[in-house]
Amino acid sequence: MPLDVTAKGVYVIAPTPFHPDGRVDESSLDRMTDFFLGAGCAGMTILGVMGEAPKLDGAESLELSRRIIRRAASAGIIVGVTAPGFAAMRSLARGVMDAGAAGVMIAPPSHLRHDEAIIGYFHQAIEAIGPDIPWVLQDYPQLFQVQMTPGIIRRIVSDLPSCVMLKHEDWPGLEKISALRGFQADGSMRPISILCGNGGIFLDFEMARGADGAMTGYAFPDMLVELVKLSQAGERDRAHDLFDAHLPLIRYELQPGVGLAVRKYVLMRRGVIASDAQRRPASAMSATARQEVEYLLSRLARHDARAKLPPV
Amino acid sequence: MPLDVTAKGVYVIAPTPFHPDGRVDESSLDRMTDFFLGAGCAGMTILGVMGEAPKLDGAESLELSRRIIRRAASAGIIVGVTAPGFAAMRSLARGVMDAGAAGVMIAPPSHLRHDEAIIGYFHQAIEAIGPDIPWVLQDYPQLFQVQMTPGIIRRIVSDLPSCVMLKHEDWPGLEKISALRGFQADGSMRPISILCGNGGIFLDFEMARGADGAMTGYAFPDMLVELVKLSQAGERDRAHDLFDAHLPLIRYELQPGVGLAVRKYVLMRRGVIASDAQRRPASAMSATARQEVEYLLSRLARHDARAKLPPV
Amino acid sequence: MPLDVTAKGVYVIAPTPFHPDGRVDESSLDRMTDFFLGAGCAGMTILGVMGEAPKLDGAESLELSRRIIRRAASAGIIVGVTAPGFAAMRSLARGVMDAGAAGVMIAPPSHLRHDEAIIGYFHQAIEAIGPDIPWVLQDYPQLFQVQMTPGIIRRIVSDLPSCVMLKHEDWPGLEKISALRGFQADGSMRPISILCGNGGIFLDFEMARGADGAMTGYAFPDMLVELVKLSQAGERDRAHDLFDAHLPLIRYELQPGVGLAVRKYVLMRRGVIASDAQRRPASAMSATARQEVEYLLSRLARHDARAKLPPV
Amino acid sequence: MPLDVTAKGVYVIAPTPFHPDGRVDESSLDRMTDFFLGAGCAGMTILGVMGEAPKLDGAESLELSRRIIRRAASAGIIVGVTAPGFAAMRSLARGVMDAGAAGVMIAPPSHLRHDEAIIGYFHQAIEAIGPDIPWVLQDYPQLFQVQMTPGIIRRIVSDLPSCVMLKHEDWPGLEKISALRGFQADGSMRPISILCGNGGIFLDFEMARGADGAMTGYAFPDMLVELVKLSQAGERDRAHDLFDAHLPLIRYELQPGVGLAVRKYVLMRRGVIASDAQRRPASAMSATARQEVEYLLSRLARHDARAKLPPV
């Protein structure tokens, strides 16, 4: 079922489980997929930076994508196809769509520094992959160094009908959501789905500003699902109560580099994956960092039973 | 009293109060200075990015510095002297030290991309301002794009005896504090003061890692003072309880650009400054953002009476 | 006489002569000013990067500007006023205009990454300095990392009537000149003066594309004057013959960092300034580099008598 | 025959010939390979930025490499394997070495900003591709934004024995060559081959500083071969005479973006390839640019018969 502009809920950014020796851990992969769907996620996003995609070769990437797509047939799988060249982007995009992906995600390269360059890049990308593949525009200026104003996003959305979703992770980004929803309201832009990233650290307010959900890898995606539902039901205080309980850990996970280690550690502690190993090159958590995470989990457990874990 | 390596506690980053017409609001400036000292701050840091320093001309900068230094005689005033050239840096540094500042703060320019360039820059800077002025090394890679490893910081500290403090705002930065304190422990680096920035968003754990306090502009510096004391007293749970109550607002303030507007708004709401006006060019908070901040304050007020404010 | 859109010829980028001990060498400054005017330069541009402006403090900058303006009364003096803040920009701009400068030059800060940010910056700058000061838009993407398409430049020129000149140093930049002159031809942009930088390394073709002259610091500005005249007279082959003879040295001077040392060395060898000293921090030419420059001068002397210099 | 530290002469950066409809033009590829070897090139470098590598998919890249390697059995083929991840780098590197390549070339990613990060990156890369593949360190700060001092290069060379060559295209870079050769002379670094890029624009002096030759794509590689021979024979004046005649065109080709179009145009005009077509996205030369190139060729033809071409 191809991705479209009505997509909502949580599309979890999936890490890639490895055995300690560096092989892909397929049984953890299956268990993780089942866990995410069981948690109520509407879909999964794979082969992003958080998924250690650059450490997989082409064959592994395709095999991994196929395995997840088969297993998660009922959910929408979005595949990151950002690449240094359009030929590689096209070949991965066509490959995963043939395998049953719901859509692909594209981020702009860091050298784009004016409107024409940014908009032109996406024209070229869609010419390369073809106009029939639903795609997600990733807006992440802190990482990619490309700044897309609401006006630029509107032009991309207007020019390219196969763009169905914005992955919003500008920071600050609350006014940008309001501006885009304002464009829809005044008829100057067609509706699109907006899912928010940045580890979820503004998700409480982003929902109220008009977001449709989250696309991020926080290790409690079940909480994100609940938060989105509470927000959509207008339960503002309860949504913030839930969010605030998780915020200290959300914040702790939002550390570039170390964040992935924390995320894998918590998923391992929750029994979702067997090992928190990363394929090399990897940076390990220090013993102190592990204690800090355990402390955060124990504090969280006072508010949310999902964080009550057996002792290490 | 010149700044030295024993500095601890909170050095609050001070905004510059303006009248709505753009003039410096001197009576708010005095009231704010008194408020910060009354809140227990050990010092203030002025003429930083958050202080709208680039919107002040040279005469205004010096006048403002002198006014604060006179009023806050008992506290240590640190002045940001980062400049595009060493001549301007020298002239501001000597001027404010003559006026009674405790020290100056220097950040590296963004084009430094290897150890020799980074270390060499600080040698040149200190040669320019003179070896007798105590100075703070500002380590803020997200903004300045210069990455200083613990080893680089150690070389700067070792080479330049007048460096007395690190303003630590790397992100992630917890392991960096541990590494630097480890250097002190193994005798490879002399002790320095470490104060943390980044709006305080990791201050709970930074204190446990060995920081001496905070240098940031969060609009509840009185809370930061209390948090530092609780941490130093070993009251870990109470420190985290206090921190967690403030974290949603700390996080909200940590938005580049909009953060300063929020900060000034909260200080105005607390009665510290008369107006949240910024000198032009400025970006205003939207009505929605103001409502979000009011909501956060009302939630915070359930845990911390300082946030109980009269209705708008 | 204020700068206007009819400006043409050579506005030489002036270095600042220092004594070996770091003091400004005022008699060299005067001699250099006389030499530039005697060489037929229409004006001089001062306080740019090449002029070691960041090594001068505010008082020195103003004094230097006044001295040159007084001495070069018949020529147009353009002063670089790029600054990290609008207050400093305004105060320098008003100061030098009061002293008799013909106009100022402004470059965009490196963080501007979309049309609205770039155009908005210049709106703010002109609001700060006032709409009555003629100014030069500096377009130098390799250094400033801001990319201005012809369309962006057209909007700046259209929005801001006090913009009278483009300092063109994009690379590649030939098509940009053609595009801008095309805008003038089709009536979509008012005429402006275009002077070219980049050490003059494309000046042969830039003139044919429609440039009005050069604004650069090549140590033979007298040759640039001649080249501009030949081009304007339609003497294409003679212009290229002259240019090609100088190209090996033009190219050698076009080395960031070392370029200024070469430039000062050649001016010293030509008797224009007394010393090639730079104020610290400075990087010296190696003995090998000096021999290379002497070799280039001796080869040039076969074609251009101005390069026949007494032995070292 | 694997690449080693004795490599010298010209390794030409090869463009990829396309038919106007975007297919790889294999007969032009063969003719170009023969031409380069006939011109005396010691080797070819393929799949670099200039080779439009990002527009080829994985299968095409491997097929192209194999075809060239088979045809140019007597020469050394170096393949660019820079990739966003080590898995892709490994898989391309092993693939082309199995096909008979002489070595690979690796450039650092732009986010490396201190010595440890830069050196660590190459350790990880060589761990990924294996220690048995001879490789070229590409030092091109203007493009990759990574600055490697002579000291950093020495550490990479010392740590990683399979590094056999430096592709030197820092600018300014003359002193860097002298510094590296100085390290060899004082015994602190083992000898390596140094080939120079940057379109050859400093090759006259680079040879005298100790370079072993050129690795660049200037459309007259036969001239580069001759220049290297003259330099090695100590014929300084004749080398400079030859170089100076070509410098106006060398300079014209050294325009990012447009440079490749010029290069392909000149190779087409020389009968080496059938079409100057680029695969999309491509930027075409304007009619004016073509006339400028023809004018440069006609001027060059007065000094070098190789530039005497039949009229268009």
Side-chain angles (χ1 to χ4, degrees):
Chain A
M1 206 178 56
L3 197 68
D4 67 30
V5 298
T6 66
K8 44 175 47 81
V10 176
Y11 282 69
V12 63
I13 302 278
T16 303
F18 292 105
H19 289 290
D21 63 7
R23 284 173 305 122
V24 173
D25 176 354
E26 298 186 339
S27 87
S28 282
L29 189 65
D30 289 348
R31 193 163 60 245
M32 183 182 76
T33 303
D34 296 347
F35 169 76
F36 286 154
L37 299 194
C41 292
M44 292 166 61
T45 301
I46 61 176
L47 299 191
V49 174
M50 267 295 161
E52 298 178 68
K55 301 178 193 167
L56 302 174
D57 67 26
E60 286 176 320
S61 296
L62 208 53
E63 173 48 34
L64 181 97
S65 304
R66 286 192 181 123
R67 190 174 187 100
I68 291 176
I69 290 167
R70 268 198 311 272
R71 186 131 194 137
S74 65
I77 305 302
I78 298 171
V79 183
V81 298
T82 303
F86 291 125
M89 185 187 292
R90 173 187 170 81
S91 121
L92 181 55
R94 308 281 343 161
V96 298
M97 292 307 291
D98 287 349
V104 301
M105 184 159 72
I106 305 175
S110 65
H111 62 268
L112 307 175
R113 300 200 177 189
H114 53 72
D115 296 19
E116 196 182 310
I118 298 168
I119 294 162
Y121 179 82
F122 287 103
H123 275 262
Q124 292 169 346
I126 300 320
E127 185 184 311
I129 68 170
D132 56 321
I133 298 181
W135 64 282
V136 181
L137 173 60
Q138 187 172 13
D139 181 21
Y140 192 5
Q142 305 100 277
L143 186 60
F144 299 117
Q145 299 173 44
V146 174
Q147 291 175 3
M148 298 190 265
T149 59
I152 292 175
I153 293 171
R154 175 167 56 182
R155 282 186 52 194
I156 294 169
V157 168
S158 301
D159 289 359
L160 301 165
S162 55
C163 177
V164 296
M165 182 186 285
L166 177 72
K167 179 173 187 194
H168 168 276
E169 39 194 341
D170 198 353
W171 184 344
L174 296 175
E175 299 301 335
K176 186 178 271 189
I177 298 174
S178 295
L180 292 170
R181 292 311 190 202
F183 289 161
Q184 294 183 200
D186 71 20
S188 67
M189 189 182 87
R190 64 179 169 83
I192 54 165
S193 172
I194 300 179
L195 300 189
C196 298
N198 264 328
I201 199 161
F202 280 99
L203 191 58
D204 49 348
F205 288 111
E206 287 164 339
M207 291 304 300
R209 293 288 188 127
D212 294 302
M215 185 191 289
T216 194
Y218 180 52
F220 286 85
D222 30 357
M223 183 285 282
L224 298 176
V225 169
E226 196 182 337
L227 178 67
V228 168
K229 279 188 194 148
L230 286 170
S231 295
Q232 286 167 340
E235 298 269 11
R236 184 164 78 150
D237 290 344
R238 286 182 57 205
H240 278 274
D241 288 344
L242 177 63
F243 178 84
D244 288 359
H246 281 265
L247 184 52
L249 182 58
I250 287 175
R251 174 273 327 241
Y252 197 94
E253 267 196 20
L254 199 64
Q255 299 181 73
V258 137
L260 175 60
V262 175
R263 195 159 284 176
K264 283 192 151 183
Y265 178 81
V266 176
L267 287 172
M268 180 184 70
R269 289 283 284 124
R270 298 189 73 188
V272 177
I273 59 179
S275 161
D276 63 350
Q278 295 175 41
R279 189 174 270 190
R280 305 184 61 167
S283 57
M285 280 170 81
S286 69
T288 307
R290 270 196 302 275
Q291 287 160 13
E292 289 168 343
V293 173
E294 290 293 337
Y295 181 67
L296 285 170
L297 287 169
S298 71
R299 287 179 61 83
L300 174 56
R302 299 174 311 169
H303 302 283
D304 190 327
R306 287 172 289 221
K308 283 202 180 93
L309 303 175
V312 183
Chain B
M1 208 178 54
L3 196 68
D4 67 30
V5 299
T6 66
K8 45 175 45 82
V10 174
Y11 283 69
V12 62
I13 302 277
T16 303
F18 292 105
H19 290 291
D21 64 7
R23 285 173 304 121
V24 172
D25 175 354
E26 298 186 339
S27 85
S28 282
L29 188 66
D30 290 347
R31 193 163 60 247
M32 182 183 76
T33 303
D34 296 347
F35 169 76
F36 287 155
L37 299 194
C41 293
M44 291 167 62
T45 301
I46 61 176
L47 299 190
V49 175
M50 266 295 160
E52 300 177 66
K55 301 178 193 166
L56 302 174
D57 66 27
E60 286 176 320
S61 296
L62 207 53
E63 173 49 34
L64 182 97
S65 305
R66 285 191 181 126
R67 190 174 188 101
I68 291 175
I69 289 167
R70 270 197 313 271
R71 186 134 194 134
S74 65
I77 305 302
I78 298 172
V79 183
V81 296
T82 303
F86 291 126
M89 185 187 292
R90 172 188 171 80
S91 126
L92 181 56
R94 308 277 348 157
V96 297
M97 292 307 290
D98 287 350
V104 301
M105 183 159 71
I106 305 175
S110 65
H111 63 268
L112 307 175
R113 301 204 177 186
H114 54 72
D115 296 19
E116 196 181 310
I118 299 168
I119 294 161
Y121 179 82
F122 287 102
H123 276 261
Q124 292 169 346
I126 300 321
E127 186 184 310
I129 67 170
D132 56 322
I133 298 181
W135 63 282
V136 181
L137 173 60
Q138 186 171 13
D139 181 21
Y140 192 4
Q142 304 100 277
L143 186 60
F144 299 117
Q145 300 173 44
V146 174
Q147 292 174 2
M148 296 191 265
T149 59
I152 292 174
I153 293 170
R154 176 168 55 183
R155 283 186 52 194
I156 293 169
V157 169
S158 300
D159 288 0
L160 300 166
S162 55
C163 178
V164 296
M165 182 187 285
L166 177 72
K167 179 173 186 194
H168 168 276
E169 39 194 342
D170 198 354
W171 185 343
L174 296 175
E175 300 300 336
K176 185 178 272 189
I177 298 174
S178 295
L180 292 171
R181 291 311 189 204
F183 289 160
Q184 294 183 199
D186 70 20
S188 66
M189 189 182 86
R190 66 180 169 82
I192 53 165
S193 171
I194 300 180
L195 300 190
C196 298
N198 265 328
I201 198 160
F202 281 98
L203 191 58
D204 48 348
F205 288 111
E206 286 164 339
M207 291 305 299
R209 294 286 187 127
D212 294 303
M215 185 190 290
T216 193
Y218 179 52
F220 286 84
D222 30 358
M223 183 285 282
L224 298 176
V225 169
E226 196 182 336
L227 178 67
V228 167
K229 280 187 192 148
L230 287 169
S231 294
Q232 285 167 339
E235 299 270 12
R236 183 164 80 150
D237 291 345
R238 286 182 58 205
H240 278 274
D241 288 344
L242 177 64
F243 179 83
D244 288 359
H246 281 265
L247 184 52
L249 182 57
I250 287 175
R251 175 272 327 242
Y252 197 95
E253 267 196 19
L254 199 64
Q255 300 182 72
V258 137
L260 174 61
V262 176
R263 193 160 286 175
K264 284 193 150 183
Y265 178 80
V266 176
L267 287 173
M268 179 185 70
R269 289 284 284 125
R270 298 188 73 189
V272 177
I273 59 178
S275 162
D276 63 349
Q278 295 175 41
R279 190 174 269 191
R280 306 185 61 169
S283 56
M285 281 172 80
S286 68
T288 307
R290 271 196 303 274
Q291 288 160 12
E292 290 168 343
V293 173
E294 291 293 337
Y295 181 67
L296 286 169
L297 287 169
S298 71
R299 288 180 60 83
L300 174 57
R302 300 173 311 168
H303 302 282
D304 189 328
R306 286 172 289 219
K308 281 199 182 98
L309 304 174
V312 184
Chain C
M1 207 179 56
L3 197 67
D4 66 31
V5 300
T6 65
K8 45 174 46 81
V10 176
Y11 283 69
V12 63
I13 303 276
T16 302
F18 292 104
H19 289 291
D21 64 6
R23 285 172 304 122
V24 172
D25 175 355
E26 298 185 340
S27 85
S28 282
L29 188 65
D30 289 348
R31 194 163 59 246
M32 181 183 77
T33 303
D34 296 347
F35 169 76
F36 287 155
L37 299 194
C41 293
M44 291 168 61
T45 301
I46 60 176
L47 299 190
V49 174
M50 266 294 160
E52 299 177 68
K55 301 178 192 166
L56 302 174
D57 66 26
E60 286 175 319
S61 296
L62 208 53
E63 173 49 35
L64 181 96
S65 305
R66 285 191 182 125
R67 189 174 188 100
I68 291 176
I69 290 167
R70 267 197 313 271
R71 186 132 194 135
S74 65
I77 305 302
I78 299 172
V79 183
V81 297
T82 303
F86 291 125
M89 185 187 292
R90 172 188 171 80
S91 119
L92 182 56
R94 308 286 335 167
V96 297
M97 291 308 291
D98 287 350
V104 301
M105 183 160 72
I106 306 175
S110 65
H111 62 268
L112 306 175
R113 301 204 177 187
H114 54 71
D115 296 20
E116 196 181 310
I118 298 167
I119 294 161
Y121 179 82
F122 287 102
H123 275 262
Q124 292 169 346
I126 300 321
E127 187 184 310
I129 66 170
D132 55 322
I133 298 181
W135 63 281
V136 181
L137 173 61
Q138 188 173 12
D139 181 21
Y140 192 4
Q142 304 100 277
L143 185 60
F144 300 118
Q145 301 173 42
V146 174
Q147 292 174 3
M148 296 191 266
T149 59
I152 292 174
I153 293 170
R154 177 168 55 182
R155 282 187 52 196
I156 294 169
V157 168
S158 301
D159 289 1
L160 301 166
S162 54
C163 177
V164 297
M165 183 187 285
L166 177 72
K167 180 175 184 193
H168 168 276
E169 40 195 340
D170 198 353
W171 185 344
L174 296 176
E175 299 301 335
K176 187 179 272 190
I177 297 174
S178 295
L180 292 170
R181 291 311 189 201
F183 289 161
Q184 293 183 201
D186 71 20
S188 66
M189 190 181 86
R190 65 178 169 84
I192 54 166
S193 172
I194 300 181
L195 300 190
C196 298
N198 265 326
I201 199 161
F202 280 98
L203 191 58
D204 48 349
F205 289 111
E206 287 164 338
M207 290 305 299
R209 294 287 188 128
D212 293 303
M215 185 190 289
T216 193
Y218 179 52
F220 286 84
D222 30 357
M223 183 284 282
L224 298 176
V225 170
E226 195 182 336
L227 178 68
V228 167
K229 279 187 194 151
L230 287 169
S231 294
Q232 285 167 341
E235 298 269 12
R236 184 164 78 150
D237 291 343
R238 286 182 59 205
H240 279 273
D241 288 344
L242 177 64
F243 179 83
D244 288 359
H246 281 266
L247 184 53
L249 181 58
I250 287 175
R251 174 273 327 242
Y252 197 96
E253 267 197 20
L254 199 64
Q255 300 182 72
V258 136
L260 174 60
V262 176
R263 194 159 284 175
K264 283 192 151 184
Y265 178 81
V266 177
L267 288 172
M268 179 186 69
R269 289 283 284 122
R270 297 188 74 189
V272 177
I273 59 178
S275 161
D276 63 349
Q278 294 176 41
R279 189 174 270 191
R280 305 185 59 167
S283 57
M285 280 172 82
S286 68
T288 307
R290 270 196 303 274
Q291 288 160 12
E292 290 168 343
V293 173
E294 290 293 338
Y295 181 67
L296 286 170
L297 287 169
S298 70
R299 288 179 61 83
L300 174 57
R302 300 174 309 169
H303 303 282
D304 190 328
R306 287 172 288 220
K308 282 200 181 97
L309 304 174
V312 183
Chain D
M1 207 179 53
L3 197 68
D4 66 30
V5 298
T6 65
K8 46 175 43 82
V10 175
Y11 283 68
V12 62
I13 303 277
T16 302
F18 292 105
H19 289 291
D21 63 7
R23 285 173 304 122
V24 172
D25 175 354
E26 299 186 340
S27 85
S28 282
L29 189 64
D30 289 347
R31 193 163 59 246
M32 182 183 75
T33 303
D34 296 347
F35 169 75
F36 287 154
L37 299 194
C41 292
M44 291 167 61
T45 302
I46 62 176
L47 299 190
V49 174
M50 266 295 161
E52 299 177 67
K55 302 178 192 165
L56 302 174
D57 67 26
E60 287 176 318
S61 296
L62 208 53
E63 173 48 34
L64 181 97
S65 305
R66 285 191 181 126
R67 189 173 188 101
I68 291 176
I69 290 167
R70 267 198 312 270
R71 186 130 193 136
S74 64
I77 305 302
I78 299 172
V79 183
V81 298
T82 303
F86 292 125
M89 186 188 291
R90 172 188 171 80
S91 120
L92 181 56
R94 308 280 344 159
V96 297
M97 292 307 291
D98 288 349
V104 301
M105 184 160 71
I106 305 175
S110 65
H111 63 269
L112 306 175
R113 300 203 177 187
H114 54 72
D115 296 18
E116 195 181 310
I118 298 168
I119 295 162
Y121 179 81
F122 287 102
H123 275 261
Q124 292 168 348
I126 301 321
E127 186 184 310
I129 67 169
D132 55 322
I133 299 181
W135 64 282
V136 181
L137 173 60
Q138 187 172 13
D139 180 22
Y140 192 4
Q142 304 100 279
L143 186 60
F144 299 117
Q145 301 173 43
V146 174
Q147 292 174 3
M148 298 190 265
T149 59
I152 292 175
I153 293 170
R154 176 167 56 182
R155 283 186 52 194
I156 293 169
V157 169
S158 301
D159 289 0
L160 300 166
S162 54
C163 178
V164 297
M165 183 187 283
L166 177 71
K167 180 175 186 192
H168 168 275
E169 39 195 341
D170 198 354
W171 185 345
L174 296 175
E175 299 301 336
K176 185 179 272 189
I177 298 174
S178 295
L180 292 170
R181 291 311 189 203
F183 290 161
Q184 293 184 200
D186 71 20
S188 66
M189 190 182 86
R190 64 179 169 84
I192 54 165
S193 172
I194 300 179
L195 301 189
C196 298
N198 265 329
I201 198 159
F202 280 98
L203 191 58
D204 48 349
F205 288 111
E206 287 164 340
M207 290 305 300
R209 293 287 187 128
D212 293 303
M215 186 189 290
T216 194
Y218 180 51
F220 286 84
D222 29 359
M223 183 284 282
L224 298 177
V225 169
E226 196 181 336
L227 178 68
V228 167
K229 279 187 194 150
L230 287 169
S231 294
Q232 285 166 340
E235 299 269 12
R236 183 164 79 150
D237 290 344
R238 286 183 57 205
H240 278 274
D241 288 343
L242 178 64
F243 179 82
D244 289 359
H246 281 264
L247 184 52
L249 182 57
I250 288 176
R251 174 271 327 242
Y252 197 95
E253 267 197 18
L254 198 64
Q255 300 182 73
V258 136
L260 174 61
V262 175
R263 194 160 284 176
K264 284 192 151 185
Y265 178 80
V266 176
L267 288 172
M268 180 184 70
R269 289 283 283 124
R270 298 188 72 189
V272 178
I273 59 178
S275 161
D276 64 349
Q278 295 176 40
R279 189 174 270 191
R280 304 184 62 167
S283 57
M285 281 170 82
S286 69
T288 307
R290 271 196 303 273
Q291 287 160 12
E292 290 168 343
V293 173
E294 290 293 336
Y295 181 66
L296 286 170
L297 287 169
S298 71
R299 287 178 61 83
L300 174 57
R302 299 174 310 168
H303 302 282
D304 190 327
R306 286 172 290 220
K308 283 199 181 97
L309 304 175
V312 184

